[in-house]
Amino acid sequence: MGKTLRITYELLSPRDRRHACVVVALMVVNACFAFIGVGSLLPFLSVAMDPDAVQQSAVLNWAYVNSGIATMPDFVMALGIVTLILIMLMNVVATLTFWVEIRFIHDFAHSLSLRLMRNYLSRPYEFFLRRNTAELSKNVLSEVQEQIGGTLRSGTTLLSRGLVVVSLTVLLLVIQP
């Protein structure tokens, strides 16, 4: 696993490495939004089930007093709308992160295929006489996609989901240590 990651890292161009940093940053932002989105459910559910929970929680009490909302049912409705907006925002960020991950993987595989093709094209004619051209075509067209896509897609999925799991575990530990 470590050797595969090292080889993949070495294959990344400086431009690809910058894009990888952006992808990782988006994964962290996605994990933060998961923390906020899921974390917003708990106060809403506690207030919806027991409106007196507002008096028991300093944060909810502060929000109720400073919101300017006069009645508790209106506050519960506003809290529900804010929670819904946060969950929708969490899903938008998750979708954007997934799209950027897939785009990065596709662009990297495309870049690597181009570099491999350029390498083949710079070879002398004798190189092609000793090699099966169908095998070379397969290397450029499908092997790169298969290897990089599998390795990078698995790695980005593992990292992205791992960050979300860590953020939700931290949320659970904050709520119920």
PDB file of all heavy atoms in Angstrom, residues 22-47:
ATOM      1  N   VAL A  22      -5.949  20.829  -3.191  1.00  0.00           N
ATOM      2  CA  VAL A  22      -7.295  21.416  -3.232  1.00  0.00           C
ATOM      3  C   VAL A  22      -8.338  20.349  -2.907  1.00  0.00           C
ATOM      4  O   VAL A  22      -9.288  20.595  -2.156  1.00  0.00           O
ATOM      5  CB  VAL A  22      -7.565  22.062  -4.612  1.00  0.00           C
ATOM      6  CG1 VAL A  22      -9.020  22.452  -4.761  1.00  0.00           C
ATOM      7  CG2 VAL A  22      -6.664  23.268  -4.821  1.00  0.00           C
ATOM      8  N   VAL A  23      -8.165  19.154  -3.463  1.00  0.00           N
ATOM      9  CA  VAL A  23      -9.104  18.056  -3.209  1.00  0.00           C
ATOM     10  C   VAL A  23      -9.107  17.703  -1.727  1.00  0.00           C
ATOM     11  O   VAL A  23     -10.169  17.547  -1.117  1.00  0.00           O
ATOM     12  CB  VAL A  23      -8.759  16.823  -4.084  1.00  0.00           C
ATOM     13  CG1 VAL A  23      -9.559  15.605  -3.658  1.00  0.00           C
ATOM     14  CG2 VAL A  23      -9.006  17.121  -5.555  1.00  0.00           C
ATOM     15  N   VAL A  24      -7.937  17.606  -1.123  1.00  0.00           N
ATOM     16  CA  VAL A  24      -7.855  17.274   0.304  1.00  0.00           C
ATOM     17  C   VAL A  24      -8.478  18.389   1.146  1.00  0.00           C
ATOM     18  O   VAL A  24      -9.201  18.119   2.115  1.00  0.00           O
ATOM     19  CB  VAL A  24      -6.396  16.993   0.727  1.00  0.00           C
ATOM     20  CG1 VAL A  24      -6.268  16.882   2.239  1.00  0.00           C
ATOM     21  CG2 VAL A  24      -5.896  15.725   0.055  1.00  0.00           C
ATOM     22  N   ALA A  25      -8.241  19.641   0.771  1.00  0.00           N
ATOM     23  CA  ALA A  25      -8.848  20.764   1.493  1.00  0.00           C
ATOM     24  C   ALA A  25     -10.371  20.696   1.410  1.00  0.00           C
ATOM     25  O   ALA A  25     -11.073  20.922   2.412  1.00  0.00           O
ATOM     26  CB  ALA A  25      -8.336  22.088   0.942  1.00  0.00           C
ATOM     27  N   LEU A  26     -10.883  20.370   0.235  1.00  0.00           N
ATOM     28  CA  LEU A  26     -12.338  20.225   0.084  1.00  0.00           C
ATOM     29  C   LEU A  26     -12.868  19.066   0.922  1.00  0.00           C
ATOM     30  O   LEU A  26     -13.977  19.141   1.455  1.00  0.00           O
ATOM     31  CB  LEU A  26     -12.703  20.006  -1.382  1.00  0.00           C
ATOM     32  CG  LEU A  26     -13.123  21.238  -2.152  1.00  0.00           C
ATOM     33  CD1 LEU A  26     -13.313  20.915  -3.625  1.00  0.00           C
ATOM     34  CD2 LEU A  26     -14.371  21.863  -1.586  1.00  0.00           C
ATOM     35  N   MET A  27     -12.087  18.005   1.046  1.00  0.00           N
ATOM     36  CA  MET A  27     -12.505  16.881   1.889  1.00  0.00           C
ATOM     37  C   MET A  27     -12.622  17.310   3.352  1.00  0.00           C
ATOM     38  O   MET A  27     -13.544  16.897   4.055  1.00  0.00           O
ATOM     39  CB  MET A  27     -11.512  15.733   1.762  1.00  0.00           C
ATOM     40  CG  MET A  27     -11.556  15.015   0.458  1.00  0.00           C
ATOM     41  SD  MET A  27     -10.271  13.748   0.456  1.00  0.00           S
ATOM     42  CE  MET A  27     -10.382  13.177  -1.225  1.00  0.00           C
ATOM     43  N   VAL A  28     -11.684  18.139   3.792  1.00  0.00           N
ATOM     44  CA  VAL A  28     -11.736  18.645   5.171  1.00  0.00           C
ATOM     45  C   VAL A  28     -12.955  19.546   5.347  1.00  0.00           C
ATOM     46  O   VAL A  28     -13.675  19.451   6.361  1.00  0.00           O
ATOM     47  CB  VAL A  28     -10.424  19.385   5.527  1.00  0.00           C
ATOM     48  CG1 VAL A  28     -10.537  20.105   6.859  1.00  0.00           C
ATOM     49  CG2 VAL A  28      -9.257  18.409   5.539  1.00  0.00           C
ATOM     50  N   VAL A  29     -13.221  20.413   4.378  1.00  0.00           N
ATOM     51  CA  VAL A  29     -14.403  21.277   4.432  1.00  0.00           C
ATOM     52  C   VAL A  29     -15.670  20.414   4.458  1.00  0.00           C
ATOM     53  O   VAL A  29     -16.609  20.693   5.215  1.00  0.00           O
ATOM     54  CB  VAL A  29     -14.417  22.261   3.234  1.00  0.00           C
ATOM     55  CG1 VAL A  29     -15.746  22.974   3.108  1.00  0.00           C
ATOM     56  CG2 VAL A  29     -13.281  23.261   3.370  1.00  0.00           C
ATOM     57  N   ASN A  30     -15.692  19.368   3.646  1.00  0.00           N
ATOM     58  CA  ASN A  30     -16.838  18.453   3.619  1.00  0.00           C
ATOM     59  C   ASN A  30     -17.047  17.818   4.991  1.00  0.00           C
ATOM     60  O   ASN A  30     -18.179  17.712   5.466  1.00  0.00           O
ATOM     61  CB  ASN A  30     -16.616  17.383   2.549  1.00  0.00           C
ATOM     62  CG  ASN A  30     -17.767  16.431   2.425  1.00  0.00           C
ATOM     63  OD1 ASN A  30     -18.933  16.820   2.469  1.00  0.00           O
ATOM     64  ND2 ASN A  30     -17.454  15.155   2.279  1.00  0.00           N
ATOM     65  N   ALA A  31     -15.972  17.394   5.637  1.00  0.00           N
ATOM     66  CA  ALA A  31     -16.079  16.800   6.969  1.00  0.00           C
ATOM     67  C   ALA A  31     -16.607  17.824   7.980  1.00  0.00           C
ATOM     68  O   ALA A  31     -17.420  17.482   8.853  1.00  0.00           O
ATOM     69  CB  ALA A  31     -14.724  16.251   7.417  1.00  0.00           C
ATOM     70  N   CYS A  32     -16.173  19.072   7.852  1.00  0.00           N
ATOM     71  CA  CYS A  32     -16.671  20.130   8.744  1.00  0.00           C
ATOM     72  C   CYS A  32     -18.162  20.367   8.532  1.00  0.00           C
ATOM     73  O   CYS A  32     -18.923  20.537   9.490  1.00  0.00           O
ATOM     74  CB  CYS A  32     -15.894  21.424   8.531  1.00  0.00           C
ATOM     75  SG  CYS A  32     -14.177  21.337   9.062  1.00  0.00           S
ATOM     76  N   PHE A  33     -18.595  20.364   7.281  1.00  0.00           N
ATOM     77  CA  PHE A  33     -20.020  20.539   6.997  1.00  0.00           C
ATOM     78  C   PHE A  33     -20.830  19.344   7.492  1.00  0.00           C
ATOM     79  O   PHE A  33     -21.972  19.510   7.929  1.00  0.00           O
ATOM     80  CB  PHE A  33     -20.268  20.792   5.512  1.00  0.00           C
ATOM     81  CG  PHE A  33     -20.224  22.245   5.160  1.00  0.00           C
ATOM     82  CD1 PHE A  33     -19.049  22.821   4.706  1.00  0.00           C
ATOM     83  CD2 PHE A  33     -21.333  23.052   5.298  1.00  0.00           C
ATOM     84  CE1 PHE A  33     -18.985  24.162   4.394  1.00  0.00           C
ATOM     85  CE2 PHE A  33     -21.285  24.398   4.996  1.00  0.00           C
ATOM     86  CZ  PHE A  33     -20.113  24.959   4.537  1.00  0.00           C
ATOM     87  N   ALA A  34     -20.270  18.151   7.433  1.00  0.00           N
ATOM     88  CA  ALA A  34     -20.958  16.983   7.984  1.00  0.00           C
ATOM     89  C   ALA A  34     -21.117  17.152   9.497  1.00  0.00           C
ATOM     90  O   ALA A  34     -22.177  16.858  10.059  1.00  0.00           O
ATOM     91  CB  ALA A  34     -20.187  15.712   7.656  1.00  0.00           C
ATOM     92  N   PHE A  35     -20.082  17.650  10.144  1.00  0.00           N
ATOM     93  CA  PHE A  35     -20.119  17.918  11.582  1.00  0.00           C
ATOM     94  C   PHE A  35     -21.234  18.916  11.901  1.00  0.00           C
ATOM     95  O   PHE A  35     -22.044  18.697  12.796  1.00  0.00           O
ATOM     96  CB  PHE A  35     -18.755  18.462  12.022  1.00  0.00           C
ATOM     97  CG  PHE A  35     -18.634  18.760  13.485  1.00  0.00           C
ATOM     98  CD1 PHE A  35     -18.169  17.800  14.362  1.00  0.00           C
ATOM     99  CD2 PHE A  35     -18.973  20.010  13.982  1.00  0.00           C
ATOM    100  CE1 PHE A  35     -18.042  18.077  15.719  1.00  0.00           C
ATOM    101  CE2 PHE A  35     -18.852  20.294  15.321  1.00  0.00           C
ATOM    102  CZ  PHE A  35     -18.389  19.324  16.199  1.00  0.00           C
ATOM    103  N   ILE A  36     -21.270  20.009  11.141  1.00  0.00           N
ATOM    104  CA  ILE A  36     -22.261  21.060  11.385  1.00  0.00           C
ATOM    105  C   ILE A  36     -23.673  20.577  11.046  1.00  0.00           C
ATOM    106  O   ILE A  36     -24.618  20.801  11.799  1.00  0.00           O
ATOM    107  CB  ILE A  36     -21.904  22.331  10.577  1.00  0.00           C
ATOM    108  CG1 ILE A  36     -20.627  22.951  11.131  1.00  0.00           C
ATOM    109  CG2 ILE A  36     -23.046  23.337  10.601  1.00  0.00           C
ATOM    110  CD1 ILE A  36     -20.020  24.019  10.228  1.00  0.00           C
ATOM    111  N   GLY A  37     -23.800  19.915   9.883  1.00  0.00           N
ATOM    112  CA  GLY A  37     -25.122  19.467   9.447  1.00  0.00           C
ATOM    113  C   GLY A  37     -25.740  18.457  10.385  1.00  0.00           C
ATOM    114  O   GLY A  37     -26.897  18.597  10.808  1.00  0.00           O
ATOM    115  N   VAL A  38     -24.985  17.438  10.749  1.00  0.00           N
ATOM    116  CA  VAL A  38     -25.506  16.424  11.665  1.00  0.00           C
ATOM    117  C   VAL A  38     -25.647  17.016  13.070  1.00  0.00           C
ATOM    118  O   VAL A  38     -26.619  16.726  13.777  1.00  0.00           O
ATOM    119  CB  VAL A  38     -24.596  15.174  11.665  1.00  0.00           C
ATOM    120  CG1 VAL A  38     -25.022  14.185  12.723  1.00  0.00           C
ATOM    121  CG2 VAL A  38     -24.607  14.519  10.291  1.00  0.00           C
ATOM    122  N   GLY A  39     -24.702  17.864  13.443  1.00  0.00           N
ATOM    123  CA  GLY A  39     -24.766  18.506  14.752  1.00  0.00           C
ATOM    124  C   GLY A  39     -25.968  19.416  14.919  1.00  0.00           C
ATOM    125  O   GLY A  39     -26.466  19.609  16.027  1.00  0.00           O
ATOM    126  N   SER A  40     -26.472  19.974  13.821  1.00  0.00           N
ATOM    127  CA  SER A  40     -27.635  20.856  13.909  1.00  0.00           C
ATOM    128  C   SER A  40     -28.934  20.082  14.129  1.00  0.00           C
ATOM    129  O   SER A  40     -29.931  20.656  14.578  1.00  0.00           O
ATOM    130  CB  SER A  40     -27.751  21.712  12.644  1.00  0.00           C
ATOM    131  OG  SER A  40     -28.125  20.910  11.537  1.00  0.00           O
ATOM    132  N   LEU A  41     -28.928  18.801  13.818  1.00  0.00           N
ATOM    133  CA  LEU A  41     -30.131  17.980  14.030  1.00  0.00           C
ATOM    134  C   LEU A  41     -30.463  17.816  15.502  1.00  0.00           C
ATOM    135  O   LEU A  41     -31.635  17.836  15.892  1.00  0.00           O
ATOM    136  CB  LEU A  41     -29.932  16.589  13.415  1.00  0.00           C
ATOM    137  CG  LEU A  41     -30.234  16.428  11.950  1.00  0.00           C
ATOM    138  CD1 LEU A  41     -29.792  15.058  11.474  1.00  0.00           C
ATOM    139  CD2 LEU A  41     -31.694  16.645  11.670  1.00  0.00           C
ATOM    140  N   LEU A  42     -29.438  17.644  16.318  1.00  0.00           N
ATOM    141  CA  LEU A  42     -29.668  17.338  17.730  1.00  0.00           C
ATOM    142  C   LEU A  42     -30.384  18.462  18.483  1.00  0.00           C
ATOM    143  O   LEU A  42     -31.362  18.191  19.185  1.00  0.00           O
ATOM    144  CB  LEU A  42     -28.348  16.959  18.386  1.00  0.00           C
ATOM    145  CG  LEU A  42     -27.674  15.724  17.766  1.00  0.00           C
ATOM    146  CD1 LEU A  42     -26.284  15.527  18.332  1.00  0.00           C
ATOM    147  CD2 LEU A  42     -28.527  14.502  17.966  1.00  0.00           C
ATOM    148  N   PRO A  43     -29.952  19.718  18.356  1.00  0.00           N
ATOM    149  CA  PRO A  43     -30.689  20.784  19.043  1.00  0.00           C
ATOM    150  C   PRO A  43     -32.127  20.913  18.528  1.00  0.00           C
ATOM    151  O   PRO A  43     -33.055  21.101  19.320  1.00  0.00           O
ATOM    152  CB  PRO A  43     -29.894  22.058  18.730  1.00  0.00           C
ATOM    153  CG  PRO A  43     -28.557  21.600  18.315  1.00  0.00           C
ATOM    154  CD  PRO A  43     -28.731  20.242  17.733  1.00  0.00           C
ATOM    155  N   PHE A  44     -32.305  20.770  17.221  1.00  0.00           N
ATOM    156  CA  PHE A  44     -33.653  20.871  16.675  1.00  0.00           C
ATOM    157  C   PHE A  44     -34.554  19.767  17.217  1.00  0.00           C
ATOM    158  O   PHE A  44     -35.681  20.023  17.643  1.00  0.00           O
ATOM    159  CB  PHE A  44     -33.626  20.822  15.139  1.00  0.00           C
ATOM    160  CG  PHE A  44     -34.978  20.646  14.531  1.00  0.00           C
ATOM    161  CD1 PHE A  44     -35.923  21.649  14.615  1.00  0.00           C
ATOM    162  CD2 PHE A  44     -35.330  19.456  13.908  1.00  0.00           C
ATOM    163  CE1 PHE A  44     -37.193  21.483  14.081  1.00  0.00           C
ATOM    164  CE2 PHE A  44     -36.582  19.283  13.366  1.00  0.00           C
ATOM    165  CZ  PHE A  44     -37.520  20.300  13.450  1.00  0.00           C
ATOM    166  N   LEU A  45     -34.058  18.543  17.206  1.00  0.00           N
ATOM    167  CA  LEU A  45     -34.869  17.434  17.698  1.00  0.00           C
ATOM    168  C   LEU A  45     -35.171  17.570  19.192  1.00  0.00           C
ATOM    169  O   LEU A  45     -36.297  17.290  19.636  1.00  0.00           O
ATOM    170  CB  LEU A  45     -34.177  16.094  17.425  1.00  0.00           C
ATOM    171  CG  LEU A  45     -34.113  15.678  15.958  1.00  0.00           C
ATOM    172  CD1 LEU A  45     -33.299  14.404  15.803  1.00  0.00           C
ATOM    173  CD2 LEU A  45     -35.500  15.511  15.377  1.00  0.00           C
ATOM    174  N   SER A  46     -34.199  18.034  19.970  1.00  0.00           N
ATOM    175  CA  SER A  46     -34.448  18.185  21.410  1.00  0.00           C
ATOM    176  C   SER A  46     -35.477  19.283  21.674  1.00  0.00           C
ATOM    177  O   SER A  46     -36.333  19.119  22.543  1.00  0.00           O
ATOM    178  CB  SER A  46     -33.153  18.463  22.163  1.00  0.00           C
ATOM    179  OG  SER A  46     -32.624  19.710  21.819  1.00  0.00           O
ATOM    180  N   VAL A  47     -35.442  20.374  20.927  1.00  0.00           N
ATOM    181  CA  VAL A  47     -36.417  21.454  21.111  1.00  0.00           C
ATOM    182  C   VAL A  47     -37.782  21.038  20.555  1.00  0.00           C
ATOM    183  O   VAL A  47     -38.817  21.368  21.135  1.00  0.00           O
ATOM    184  CB  VAL A  47     -35.925  22.762  20.442  1.00  0.00           C
ATOM    185  CG1 VAL A  47     -37.015  23.816  20.419  1.00  0.00           C
ATOM    186  CG2 VAL A  47     -34.709  23.288  21.177  1.00  0.00           C
TER     187      VAL A  47
END
